[in-house]
Amino acid sequence: MDFALSQEQTAIFDMAHAFGQEHIAPHARTWETEGTIPKSLWPKLAELGFAGLYVSEDKGGAGLSRLDATLVFEALSHACASVAAFLSIHNMCTKMIADYGSNDLQKRILPNALTMETILSYCLTEPGSGSDAAAMKTKATTSNDGFALTGTKAFISGGGYSDAYIVMARTDDGISAFLIENGCDSLSFGGLEDKMGWKSQPTRQVQMDGCEVPVENLLGTPGQGFKYAMAGLDGGRLNIAACSIGAAQSALDQTLVYMSERKAFGQSIDQFQGLQFRLADMEIDLQSARTFLRHAAWKFDTGAPDATTFCAMAKKQCTEVGSRVADQCLQLHGGYGYLADYGIEKIVRDLRVHQILEGTNEIMRLITARHLIGRRH
């Protein structure tokens, strides 16, 4: 198959890139210092259709493919991976509501979610169960009007910032998915986490102590929440891979400019063959990872039986390549790369978490290995 972009796909990338350079890049360091992203940004992104990228058009979304969506996240990450990744989380949630939400829930939540007047967060991980998501302890018991949720979710991007949360909880049938809206008396949040990167995203624990959820806020069938969560994570892994590639490409672009201007021993440092080899290796790694990502996205879009494995492989490969390239770019900047003014150290910090979230890269290897072994039995 040919992964050359169509004119429409190039236009999607260019539109997202232009938006990021105008509305995000000039403010990214300020937002990082403030520890929050202005909510006024999100409706501007929603006007471009970026709040429901793969929600069908008949439900108000953009109806794009997953491959198309990776172009948006790659382009936005040229400006800031933290902002782009938060948008990915919101899109995961809008897709789940569009696919599994009741008619009432869709009518009540989806329109404002697609304009980003309502901002959504995703709650799966718990303090004692990260990669072992099936061991979660959050419970949902039946009540007079629906369900009462009790438990704690950890590392939640948008905790205390978002307007509603998709929460995975254990029910009698297994794991089920619920939407909790702000205003529940028994919904509270932990302190703001002080993180290495992604500092512009407010991150807190989400705590529920008998939080009442109406029955219409149950997503899909009881006991099927884990299946929904894993389906959502496949797409999330593609998006986070794209964020790594976009941010690393930005670092490389900035490094090329810096090296053309930085003089040493009578010439610009981009003329030294040893450093040219480093540049070549980074370009080859990025192009290879980008091609693999698009192949995995194509697998997802076409419903290939091995799509989950390819999403896992792409996530592992792209996030590690992205971090490695960003680190090399910092090295090529010398001492200046360590200074916040040049923006490279921010990229290094932001990309490091990509090897942990949406399933650690160790779990991505496990998924891949089990697929390999399973083919022999």
Side-chain angles (χ1 to χ4, degrees), residues 348-360:
V348 171
R349 288 187 290 103
D350 281 346
L351 293 193
R352 183 58 186 86
V353 75
H354 292 194
Q355 298 179 54
I356 299 171
L357 51 81
E358 305 285 16
T360 65

Side-chain angles (χ1 to χ4, degrees), residues 22-307:
E22 180 179 355
H23 297 284
I24 299 173
H27 311 292
R29 281 184 57 201
T30 299
W31 296 345
E32 179 175 70
T33 301
E34 294 174 347
T36 191
I37 304 165
K39 289 191 174 181
S40 59
L41 174 73
W42 303 120
K44 296 175 185 175
L45 279 161
E47 287 176 4
L48 303 179
F50 291 172
L53 286 165
Y54 21 83
V55 173
S56 62
E57 292 182 84
D58 65 308
K59 293 185 178 181
L64 299 183
S65 69
R66 292 298 181 135
L67 175 55
D68 294 338
T70 63
L71 302 177
V72 171
F73 294 112
E74 180 182 345
L76 290 175
S77 291
H78 279 243
C80 180
S82 175
V83 173
F86 191 86
L87 183 67
S88 170
I89 295 166
H90 178 86
N91 271 273
M92 182 192 302
C93 294
T94 56
K95 176 64 171 171
M96 291 181 73
I97 293 170
D99 285 353
Y100 309 118
S102 63
N103 289 334
D104 173 80
L105 190 65
Q106 290 188 33
K107 290 177 182 177
R108 195 157 42 83
I109 299 295
L110 207 51
N112 284 347
L114 293 175
T115 61
M116 294 199 77
E117 295 170 73
T118 296
I119 299 169
L120 304 172
S121 284
Y122 178 81
C123 303
L124 174 65
T125 302
E126 297 184 359
S129 62
S131 297
D132 187 12
M136 72 173 59
K137 295 181 179 179
T138 298
K139 291 183 179 179
T141 56
T142 55
S143 65
N144 293 335
D145 300 318
F147 300 88
L149 272 65
T150 299
T152 299
K153 299 296 183 177
F155 309 116
I156 304 305
S157 293
Y161 170 90
S162 294
D163 303 297
Y165 304 85
I166 289 183
V167 178
M168 301 297 156
R170 189 169 296 282
T171 58
D172 292 339
D173 311 279
I175 292 173
S176 302
F178 302 87
L179 184 85
I180 296 182
E181 300 168 66
N182 271 353
C184 176
D185 292 337
S186 302
L187 177 67
S188 61
F189 307 96
L192 190 66
E193 304 288 2
D194 187 7
K195 309 184 297 293
M196 173 182 175
W198 276 25
K199 286 179 174 287
S200 63
Q201 287 189 28
T203 302
R204 294 180 175 86
Q205 287 190 349
V206 174
Q207 301 157 342
M208 298 149 286
D209 185 14
C211 189
E212 293 286 343
V213 177
V215 67
E216 58 266 24
N217 281 28
L218 170 72
L219 295 180
T221 306
Q224 295 298 305
F226 193 70
K227 175 184 174 182
Y228 304 156
M230 292 303 102
L233 283 176
D234 280 347
R237 287 164 184 166
L238 294 173
N239 294 347
I240 212 65
C243 289
S244 286
I245 295 302
Q249 184 66 61
S250 176
L252 180 55
D253 293 345
Q254 294 175 59
T255 300
L256 287 166
V257 173
Y258 172 80
M259 291 177 68
S260 71
E261 297 171 348
R262 177 75 163 90
K263 298 291 195 299
F265 306 103
Q267 60 183 343
S268 60
I269 63 174
D270 61 359
Q271 297 304 303
F272 291 97
Q273 188 181 65
L275 300 186
Q276 290 176 351
F277 287 167
R278 285 200 188 186
L279 292 172
D281 286 342
M282 288 191 286
E283 174 68 4
I284 293 166
D285 283 349
L286 277 177
Q287 292 289 1
S288 299
R290 184 179 288 110
T291 300
F292 194 98
L293 170 61
R294 292 178 182 173
H295 182 61
W298 173 81
K299 288 264 190 183
F300 189 106
D301 285 330
T302 57
D306 54 0

